[in-house]
Amino acid sequence: MESLIILIPIAVVLIALAVAIFLWAVDNDQFDDLEGPAHSILFDDNPPKASRPSKKE
């Protein structure tokens, strides 16, 4: 029974910390675009620009 005196406040602090981290993530737009990064892997990068032939003297 005495262990509950320690475990309940620790649980409350951990839950408050998890809620604070979640609210921070929502406020900083961490959940705006969930599909964009997943689809970006399917597309190739831009093709490299053609290099100019060097003038040889």
Side-chain angles (χ1 to χ4, degrees), residues 2 6-7 9-10 13-14 16 18 20-22 25 27 30 33-37 41-43 46 48-49 53-54:
E2 290 107 19
I6 296 171
L7 292 177
I10 290 174
V13 168
L14 288 177
I21 290 171
F22 175 75
D27 286 340
Q30 296 293 317
D33 186 15
L34 296 178
E35 293 181 13
I41 196 168
L42 300 174
F43 301 109
N46 294 333
K49 294 182 180 180
S54 60

Side-chain angles (χ1 to χ4, degrees), residues 8-52:
I8 290 175
I10 290 174
V12 170
V13 168
L14 288 177
I15 290 172
L17 182 64
V19 169
I21 290 171
F22 175 75
L23 291 176
W24 171 84
V26 170
D27 286 340
N28 287 320
D29 301 326
Q30 296 293 317
F31 301 114
D32 274 353
D33 186 15
L34 296 178
E35 293 181 13
H39 292 292
S40 68
I41 196 168
L42 300 174
F43 301 109
D44 289 335
D45 292 334
N46 294 333
K49 294 182 180 180
S51 61
R52 291 190 220 162

